Amino acid sequence: MEDYLPPAEAGRLRPDPAPATPHPAHGETHRPHKHDSGDKHVSGRAIYADDIAEPAALVHVYIAYARFAKGRLAADLDKVAAAPGVIKVLTGDDVRGENDVGPVKHDEIMLALEGGIAAVAYHGQPLFAVVAETRRSARLAAECAVIEAVEETPVITIEDAIAAGDAVDAPYRMARGDAAAAIAAAPHRLAGRIEIGGQEHFSLEGQIAIATPGEDDDMHVVSSTQHPSETQEVVARVLGVPAHAVTVEARRLGGGFGGKETQGNLMAAIAALAARATGRPAKVRPDRDDDFIITGKRHDFRIDYEVGFDAAGHLLGVSFIQHARCGWSLDLSRAICDRAMFHADNAYAIPALDVVSHRWRTNTCSNTAFRGFGGPQGMVGIERVIEHVAHTLGLDPLAVRRANLYRASMPASVRTTHYHMEVEDAVIDEIVDDLVRTSDYEARRAAIAEWNTASPIIKRGIALTPVKFGISFTTTFLNQAGALVHVYKDGSVMINHGGIEMGQGVYIKVAQVAADAFGLPLERVKITATRTDKVPNTSATAASSGADMNAMATLDACATIRARLAAFAAERAGVAAEDVVFAGGWVDAGATRTDFDALVHEAYLARIGLSATGFYATPRIHWDRESASGRPFYYFAYGAAVSEAAIDTLTGESRILRADILHDVGRSLNPAVDLGQIEGGFVQGMGWLTTEELWWDRTGRLATHAPSTYKIPTAADRPRDMRIAIWPKGVNRELTVRRSKAVGEPPLMLAISAHQAIGAAIAAASGGFAHLDAPATPERILDALSGAR
Amino acid sequence: MRESPSTETITFFLNGERVDIADMPPTTTLLEWLRARGLTGAKEGCAEGDCGACTVAVRRPDGAGLATRAVNACIMALPMAHGADIVTIEGIAADGAPHPIQREMADRHASQCGFCTPGIVMALWSREAGAPADRQAVEDRLAGNLCRCTGYGPILEAAEASAAAADALGDPVADAARADALAAIPPLDYRADDRRFLAPDTEAAFADALADAPDATILSGATDFGLWITKRLFDPPMILSTARLDALKTIEREGDQLVVGAALPLAAFAAAVLAPWPQLGEMMRRFGGMQVRNAGTVGGNIANGSPIGDLPPALIAAGATLELGHRDGPRRLPLEEYFIAYGQQDRQPGEYVRRVLIPLAGLDRLSCHKVSKRFDSDITAILGCFALTLEVGVVAEARLAFGGMAGTPKRALATEAALVGKIYDRESVASAASALAEDFQPMSDQRASAAYRLAVAKNLLMRDVVERTAPETVTRLAGRAAERIGA
């Protein structure tokens, strides 16, 4: 791996005192190149799945779903089939392979209607699919179904689920030390609870798939998926064909955020089924409301805690019971709930920490991956504990945080998590110190307290929260990636890898790294659509791993080709291959300088292979789920944020006035892209914790199923004063690509500071600790102000 | 007014090219039609006018030239484009040179996934030269455009940074002859698939048509109707549009009243009331997003009868009179009497909402308090609009109207009665507010619980007392008033 680092980088293991500004000598990497599709985005020329010109024979598919949450139904579809424009009505009976789209466990029936009857597990359960000449006729026809339902009382809330006792997965526990004993022996003890709502992804592009049948059993699927290899696997499963018959392609997604990690599989599989059944290309594009109702969301959690602490705020023992609402099937809930547990310590060294996780089954949509993947909920739990402890002791919560942070100066045995991993790269204390200074935290906190005394109705609050986020899939085998690199005879380079571009800039980052591998300007490198027939057996673009893994796999392929070219150039010049340098579009072999394109052409004539695959497997990670111990994360990403909030004590309305962020991305591959991830992640997290409320009625019907009722932040919700910086001292001590760190998910959790700032404002108004659940809607804030829960 | 001969062909200009349509169902949306034609820059994000990904510019003659308005193509029925100059993202780069807003957006990393980007570009592009482009103005301009990736910062910066260059460019797609060509297009009487879409240009013709077909669906902006099409697949036999009724697009002071035509777009109403009545102006600032205010109308917001429409409580508190039109002559009634019950209004066959007459004195006394989960472009959880006449601190008359508290916009009559004769202070309000429970039995739904609605209804009166008696107190988190936080 050292070989992949330019010489200037290789020895730089300690933080660089200089700001992480790019230097031309480093080539294309570390520079703020704009998104590769930026010009196409602003001109409307970027092509998303629904923009692809529709073939004349295209059929449209509508997924009809259950309108109640639990029970059984019988459906007569004769009138549907007879409706105008209908070509075919598909039920589970039409599936030749397996009628299931579950990603991990095969517990997700695709079309629940089989033999005219269906068991219904949630309001939104796909029952049958109408294939018609137009989207409208498919939708209209579905209304003609004659349904006889036998409804049962559904299990909707976490409380319902606890009472019913039905789980999608066994409870799980991680522990270090004897938390119960530590709490019992502590000078101070508290217990509490926080309820944390879920979150709808609301990527601006909804779910979509277009399947085109080929010869034999072949099926080509354009899918808005973050996980083409899994989509391929599920389509093959449903069609009953080998994986080699199915090709899944995705050039770009209009946002993903985890909502397209597994949730697109249903759409892709039904599109493929319709294409197979009709012999015509088939498109599935649910209306936004249907998309909301059918697909899964971020898990909502209830976290119960007990904590023992001393007068200085040191946490001596903490115990969490995490209750997660998983919905009707397993989906990714096991790994998500595990990650919530992994982040129950956030950035704090807690000598005795006990985390128990319950994964409840409910008659609601099957909750799924969402940026942070359970980590945010786990983190909210410990940050609530800190807040509670601080208020009880009359301390600034920041003082309690600082008293408990992981520090490099701690003995390794102390600097160890509740899953028995040593935190080798603890830099959070430095980041917090820097941010306290740059945000002017202390002076502002005093000024806010002063301001509040003169403001009877509007109250302000300020809070700083840290983030430590583990990087790697905790399902260890997923930490692998592949790439395919071609150098064409003219010296142009095409790269392909398993990463999905969904706005986060993985294509441009990998291209920058690849350009540097050959010493070429960026424009010589072409990025192409992610396809399962180019790079097989990929993992989801998830867990913030996209650039980390795919850039390394691409570098591996580049290195293979570069080594061949270097050997060729070295032989011609009579120097050692190690002395061949690729830079600035030139290849220098000793004193012999050759234009890269010319060298490539000569290498071609000399019959040297100019194409290679690459592979990467993340090193140093292992996890033993039996003993709940190991080193599941290659490294940690860190950051901290200070948020300042104002609340209206008469209405409970709130606003985030200012946010200061300092975030560690190691040595940034692309500071512009990384800053975008940080700001976007913060605002998305702020939405989750403030305005974004999912509301089910007692019958299990989701009432917030469109942007009219589900409120993600608008431009005006962004804090007017936002000061974001990449931590200038950041460098990854592990041998990641160019010493960078993953950035996709961690910044979302910086927004916990916004929730805590609101809590501080409530405390300023009510004089006590605020039992504020999430999201902090006006109603919850007013409830917290009145001491109600 | 002279009645023009009508045309059966939908005619408009699209990115400079004339388009004639005679064979599409009238409930086809402009977005569907554009995308089927290969103009896929405008996206469908929600099909309900709440995300702005489908934003296009609609330009119509305004006497001086062409007025540019950004609208949501996803909830605009295709026949509504008749007589307009439509500009899409594909039509704004002159000779391949990006518009300043496009250049700044790209250079400042203002797109990530890019799906919302064309809509945002069009919302910003539609700013007329010289119109404000400071932070508040840009935020308001983008209130109807959602971005899930960026956190908006680079977009806001690009909008501000490009404003001067955009102003210098003027109207990049100006065509002097276009306004005349558009003005010459006759009114539409469109028929396809046994469906009719009629947009008369005189009120007499409109009234006649409605009297002859009282079941016709009246279309006045389509910000709700559009959802009936896209979500409920509504397909009415006859649609009667107010779009060409220029006589009902006026807002004028007549004596001691402000008289507002039903077809006046909400944006025009908002602009007219902002300076004289800033509280009403602030409520209108938060009324939908810009695209919704550009399309939606004053009359539509009233006629619709929604219990959570924002205009009726304000107008009821101000003491407005509603004028319903009919072929046989108009009828007037106090606005609150129009709303009989949830889903039921006092509109007789052949009648249409014609004008609303608002006492200036009522507007002068009016305060507005909108509460929703999100400040911008959100549907009201509770709206309190209060017009009080104080005589030496004592309440002489009180008109308290609320939205979101009942099945209709409704006055708090018992609370009003309890306040009259009392000194307007916290104690009186606390005491009178107990009558709110007599006035209202609100529902619990996704926007708020009944308990919250009742508690906040009272607190809004408390806020009103503070604002009238201690105006130095900071009481608001949104709009201009919020600039005092932290000062």
Side-chain angles (χ1 to χ4, degrees):
Chain A
M1 289 300 144
E2 288 284 1
D3 180 50
Y4 298 151
L5 298 164
E9 288 289 286
R12 185 171 292 158
L13 292 176
R14 279 190 299 279
D16 182 346
T21 46
H23 191 280
H26 292 171
E28 303 290 12
T29 312
H30 307 310
R31 298 170 68 140
H33 283 290
K34 69 182 174 189
H35 194 284
D36 52 279
S37 295
D39 292 328
K40 284 181 277 194
H41 293 156
V42 299
S43 61
R45 286 185 288 109
I47 296 171
Y48 301 80
D50 197 39
D51 301 338
I52 298 169
E54 295 183 347
L58 184 75
V59 298
H60 296 264
V61 188
Y62 174 77
I63 302 172
Y65 55 83
R67 307 286 173 152
F68 62 97
K70 188 182 183 191
R72 304 188 66 76
L73 64 79
D76 180 343
L77 304 181
D78 288 353
K79 287 181 181 163
V80 180
V86 172
I87 298 161
K88 188 131 182 69
V89 181
L90 300 168
T91 69
D93 302 332
D94 296 293
V95 178
R96 291 234 207 105
E98 193 184 343
N99 183 22
D100 188 283
V101 294
V104 176
K105 190 174 168 185
H106 292 205
D107 68 343
E108 244 177 77
I109 192 165
M110 179 175 72
L111 293 172
L113 199 66
E114 291 177 321
I117 59 166
V120 172
Y122 78 110
H123 180 126
Q125 174 117 45
L127 299 173
F128 60 93
V130 186
V131 188
E133 297 289 350
T134 67
R135 193 163 171 260
R136 181 183 173 88
S137 51
R139 291 172 72 188
L140 281 169
E143 302 296 317
C144 302
V146 179
I147 306 269
E148 274 183 68
V150 180
E151 295 188 39
E152 296 166 33
T153 305
V155 173
I156 304 301
T157 64
I158 287 172
E159 274 60 42
D160 292 349
I162 293 170
D166 190 7
V168 295
D169 192 30
Y172 189 54
R173 182 171 175 214
M174 295 180 191
R176 174 172 179 252
D178 184 342
I183 294 166
H188 301 277
R189 286 183 293 280
L190 282 173
R193 168 180 298 177
I194 182 166
E195 292 177 8
I196 306 160
Q199 186 176 25
E200 158 65 31
H201 307 81
F202 200 77
S203 50
L204 266 286
E205 176 201 46
Q207 306 285 350
I208 181 168
I210 304 139
T212 305
E215 55 187 49
D216 302 327
D217 287 332
D218 289 358
M219 189 66 67
H220 175 265
V221 183
V222 171
S223 167
S224 190
T225 176
Q226 290 174 238
H227 196 348
S229 284
E230 187 175 82
T231 302
Q232 173 196 28
E233 181 188 326
V234 170
V235 167
R237 181 202 303 172
V238 168
L239 296 182
V241 301
H244 68 215
V246 179
T247 299
V248 175
E249 174 174 357
R251 170 58 184 85
R252 65 172 60 79
L253 273 52
F257 316 114
K260 296 169 179 171
E261 183 168 348
T262 62
Q263 301 300 293
N265 294 341
L266 173 79
M267 321 299 161
I270 290 176
L273 184 67
R276 176 60 65 228
T278 60
R280 295 165 62 174
K283 182 187 275 195
V284 174
R285 180 173 71 83
D287 181 71
R288 177 63 72 173
D289 294 61
D290 296 339
D291 190 331
F292 257 79
I293 289 165
I294 293 171
T295 64
K297 322 205 176 301
R298 185 189 294 284
H299 290 62
D300 24 20
F301 269 62
R302 185 185 105 189
I303 300 178
D304 297 339
Y305 59 84
E306 288 184 79
V307 53
F309 53 101
D310 68 17
H314 294 108
L315 304 179
L316 305 174
V318 180
S319 129
F320 286 112
I321 301 177
Q322 300 179 340
H323 298 276
R325 173 158 72 167
C326 299
W328 70 282
S329 70
L330 180 64
D331 188 69
L332 303 174
S333 290
R334 170 177 286 190
I336 290 164
C337 293
D338 282 2
R339 186 168 278 268
M341 301 171 76
F342 283 122
H343 290 81
D345 62 337
N346 191 13
Y348 308 110
I350 304 167
L353 176 57
D354 194 312
V355 187
V356 173
S357 167
H358 295 282
R359 295 94 193 264
W360 298 113
R361 186 191 304 278
T362 51
N363 297 114
T364 51
C365 60
S366 188
N367 283 334
T368 191
F370 195 137
R371 202 175 195 173
F373 206 72
Q377 295 95 315
M379 230 176 255
V380 165
I382 186 67
E383 294 302 338
R384 160 52 56 92
V385 167
I386 298 261
E387 192 184 25
H388 202 170
V389 166
H391 276 279
T392 304
L393 293 173
L395 296 172
D396 179 356
L398 176 60
V400 176
R401 292 192 165 99
R402 281 175 143 168
N404 291 285
L405 289 174
Y406 287 111
R407 289 170 191 274
S409 56
M410 288 172 168
S413 61
V414 177
R415 199 179 356 96
T416 295
T417 67
H418 54 295
Y419 44 92
H420 308 280
M421 172 175 171
E422 182 191 336
V423 180
E424 297 170 5
D425 54 9
V427 292
I428 188 61
D429 55 326
E430 284 184 67
I431 293 174
V432 167
D433 288 349
D434 289 350
L435 180 64
V436 166
R437 194 178 61 253
T438 59
S439 68
D440 200 18
Y441 174 88
E442 302 289 356
R444 286 169 61 203
R445 187 164 184 271
I448 287 167
E450 174 77 20
W451 189 89
N452 282 338
T453 60
S455 178
I457 292 174
I458 305 297
K459 297 288 184 185
R460 287 157 63 199
I462 189 169
L464 183 154
T465 57
V467 169
K468 164 182 134 286
F469 192 77
I471 301 299
S472 291
F473 289 97
T474 60
T475 304
T476 303
F477 71 79
L478 296 175
N479 295 286
Q480 56 175 308
L484 175 66
V485 175
H486 302 323
V487 178
Y488 291 98
K489 282 181 284 184
D490 64 353
S492 65
V493 179
M494 187 222 77
I495 58 174
N496 196 277
H497 53 77
I500 288 287
E501 177 58 48
M502 46 195 165
Q504 85 282 38
V506 67
Y507 276 18
I508 187 70
K509 282 183 170 179
V510 175
Q512 287 174 262
V513 170
D516 282 355
F518 292 117
L520 290 174
L522 188 58
E523 57 270 20
R524 297 294 286 162
V525 177
K526 173 80 176 174
I527 310 162
T528 54
T530 307
R531 289 175 61 113
T532 55
D533 59 353
K534 283 193 176 166
V535 178
N537 307 327
T538 55
S539 292
T541 300
S544 306
S545 68
D548 273 22
M549 298 207 311
N550 291 293
M552 282 302 230
T554 301
L555 272 180
D556 184 41
C558 292
T560 300
I561 298 170
R562 191 178 63 178
R564 291 178 198 154
L565 289 170
F568 174 65
E571 189 187 335
R572 294 198 319 164
V575 301
E578 303 84 71
D579 295 331
V580 178
V581 175
F582 293 74
W586 300 99
V587 182
D588 292 325
T592 309
R593 164 163 285 200
T594 316
D595 179 80
F596 179 83
D597 301 349
L599 180 75
V600 163
H601 192 73
E602 286 165 31
Y604 164 74
L605 294 174
R607 296 186 293 165
I608 289 169
L610 295 170
S611 174
T613 60
F615 186 76
Y616 177 71
T618 310
R620 296 198 71 202
I621 51 174
H622 53 89
W623 175 243
D624 177 28
R625 202 165 187 276
E626 255 334 274
S627 64
S629 66
R631 193 180 192 282
F633 302 119
Y634 187 25
Y635 62 90
F636 293 99
Y638 295 94
V642 173
S643 287
E644 183 179 333
I647 62 164
D648 181 335
T649 56
L650 291 175
T651 60
E653 295 162 290
S654 73
R655 180 180 283 290
I656 306 303
L657 303 171
R658 175 173 165 182
D660 294 64
I661 294 171
L662 198 51
H663 195 79
D664 173 22
V665 296
R667 296 269 294 155
S668 174
L669 292 175
N670 181 323
V673 165
D674 286 350
L675 282 169
Q677 288 297 297
I678 295 167
E679 175 170 354
F682 177 88
V683 171
Q684 193 175 80
M686 191 186 81
W688 168 50
L689 294 170
T690 56
T691 57
E692 294 183 36
E693 183 176 36
L694 291 164
W695 197 89
W696 281 265
D697 69 17
R698 280 305 305 165
T699 70
R701 187 186 66 92
L702 178 65
T704 48
H705 51 70
S708 52
T709 44
Y710 183 76
K711 311 311 284 189
I712 74 168
T714 63
D717 294 315
R718 175 189 190 271
R720 273 279 173 89
D721 188 351
M722 211 163 168
R723 308 179 190 195
I724 308 167
I726 291 173
W727 192 45
K729 302 171 191 169
V731 64
N732 200 330
R733 71 196 304 277
E734 302 296 340
L735 288 168
T736 53
V737 59
R738 304 291 287 261
R739 300 286 178 178
S740 65
K741 284 192 176 184
V743 70
E745 293 164 293
L748 180 127
M749 286 151 273
L750 297 168
I752 296 170
S753 61
H755 192 261
Q756 296 246 332
I758 292 169
I762 296 170
S766 63
F769 168 65
H771 287 278
L772 179 65
D773 289 332
T777 57
E779 179 155 2
R780 286 206 180 80
I781 291 172
L782 202 66
D783 282 353
L785 280 162
S786 65
R789 279 188 62 100
Chain B
M1 187 180 279
R2 185 179 55 85
E3 193 173 326
S4 318
S6 59
T7 173
E8 293 187 359
T9 304
I10 301 170
T11 299
F12 56 91
F13 284 82
L14 173 64
N15 296 330
E17 303 285 327
R18 183 185 164 111
V19 176
D20 296 295
I21 298 170
D23 57 353
M24 299 296 293
T27 49
T28 307
T29 66
L30 176 62
L31 181 65
E32 287 172 323
W33 183 85
L34 287 171
R35 291 181 57 79
R37 202 182 158 91
L39 297 179
T40 55
K43 312 296 183 195
E44 181 183 307
C46 68
E48 62 175 26
D50 258 287
C51 80
C54 63
T55 301
V56 300
V58 172
R59 295 142 64 86
R60 293 186 193 275
D62 68 349
L66 291 177
T68 303
R69 299 283 180 265
V71 301
N72 292 308
C74 73
I75 52 171
M76 178 168 162
L78 188 57
M80 295 169 70
H82 183 70
D85 183 33
I86 308 285
V87 183
T88 70
I89 186 80
E90 290 86 357
I92 65 168
D95 302 327
H99 186 268
I101 184 59
Q102 291 176 297
R103 199 174 54 239
E104 290 290 345
M105 291 266 295
D107 289 350
R108 290 171 186 269
H109 317 284
S111 69
Q112 286 182 25
C113 86
F115 199 84
C116 71
T117 311
I120 285 180
V121 168
M122 290 311 295
L124 296 172
W125 183 87
S126 70
R127 187 182 65 91
E128 292 187 315
D134 60 2
R135 183 55 59 95
Q136 179 74 54
V138 173
E139 286 175 357
D140 288 344
R141 178 161 288 276
L142 292 178
N145 289 85
L146 299 176
C147 169
R148 194 52 153 164
C149 296
T150 64
Y152 298 102
I155 297 170
L156 294 167
E157 287 164 15
E160 291 168 353
S162 63
D167 283 350
L169 202 58
D171 184 343
V173 294
D175 179 343
R178 186 73 43 79
D180 293 339
L182 292 170
I185 295 173
L188 182 66
D189 186 356
Y190 180 75
R191 291 163 204 258
D193 290 349
D194 300 327
R195 301 286 183 266
R196 186 177 179 197
F197 185 104
L198 182 62
D201 66 347
T202 68
E203 191 181 353
F206 182 92
D208 271 347
L210 185 62
D212 291 342
D215 291 334
T217 300
I218 300 176
L219 187 66
S220 191
T223 57
D224 199 14
F225 174 85
L227 279 74
W228 305 353
I229 300 177
T230 61
K231 303 296 176 180
R232 287 194 248 144
L233 306 177
F234 184 55
D235 189 16
M238 177 162 171
I239 298 167
L240 188 55
S241 169
T242 68
R244 292 289 287 261
L245 300 182
D246 291 346
L248 295 188
K249 292 181 186 171
T250 54
I251 178 164
E252 280 160 8
R253 291 182 192 225
E254 292 179 11
D256 59 357
Q257 290 186 315
L258 183 71
V259 180
V260 184
L264 184 75
L266 292 162
F269 178 79
V273 301
L274 180 62
W277 302 291
Q279 287 237 353
L280 182 58
E282 167 63 9
M283 190 194 82
M284 291 307 300
R285 185 186 70 77
R286 289 175 56 190
F287 190 125
M290 173 181 65
Q291 294 89 329
V292 166
R293 293 192 300 273
N294 282 340
T297 60
V298 169
N301 194 241
I302 294 169
N304 181 286
S306 167
I308 43 180
D310 282 346
L311 262 185
L315 301 184
I316 289 169
T321 296
L322 183 66
E323 184 174 277
L324 296 162
H326 191 278
R327 178 165 61 188
D328 302 336
R331 172 168 75 97
R332 290 186 179 183
L333 71 167
L335 178 57
E336 58 262 46
E337 291 179 11
Y338 176 72
F339 304 100
I340 299 168
Y342 180 74
Q344 191 188 353
Q345 297 88 39
D346 181 7
R347 188 167 66 81
Q348 301 305 313
E351 282 188 332
Y352 54 92
V353 171
R354 181 170 192 264
R355 302 193 301 174
V356 59
L357 300 82
I358 318 163
L360 296 174
L363 288 167
D364 291 341
R365 288 192 286 265
L366 185 66
S367 70
C368 300
H369 307 262
K370 171 169 174 158
V371 179
S372 48
K373 279 185 207 168
R374 189 176 72 191
F375 286 114
D376 283 1
S377 191
D378 194 1
I379 295 167
T380 287
I382 172 171
L383 172 66
C385 296
F386 314 134
L388 289 140
T389 310
L390 300 181
E391 288 173 2
V392 207
V394 173
V395 179
E397 192 197 349
R399 292 178 65 89
L400 315 176
F402 286 89
M405 292 292 287
T408 59
K410 195 172 164 228
R411 281 174 70 182
L413 294 172
T415 312
E416 290 176 6
L419 267 180
V420 169
K422 305 284 179 359
I423 294 174
Y424 196 53
D425 62 11
R426 285 164 168 266
E427 287 69 31
S428 304
V429 166
S431 158
S434 59
L436 282 168
E438 287 176 47
D439 287 316
F440 300 112
Q441 291 79 45
M443 66 190 288
S444 292
D445 67 5
Q446 68 272 13
R447 295 193 181 90
S449 69
Y452 175 81
R453 287 184 156 114
L454 270 176
V456 170
K458 173 183 167 184
N459 285 355
L460 293 180
L461 283 168
M462 285 293 186
R463 182 204 270 174
D464 193 63
V465 170
V466 172
E467 290 181 348
R468 288 178 201 261
T469 58
E472 72 285 358
T473 310
V474 182
T475 56
R476 304 268 186 145
L477 291 180
R480 282 188 211 150
E483 287 165 13
R484 294 160 65 195
I485 305 166

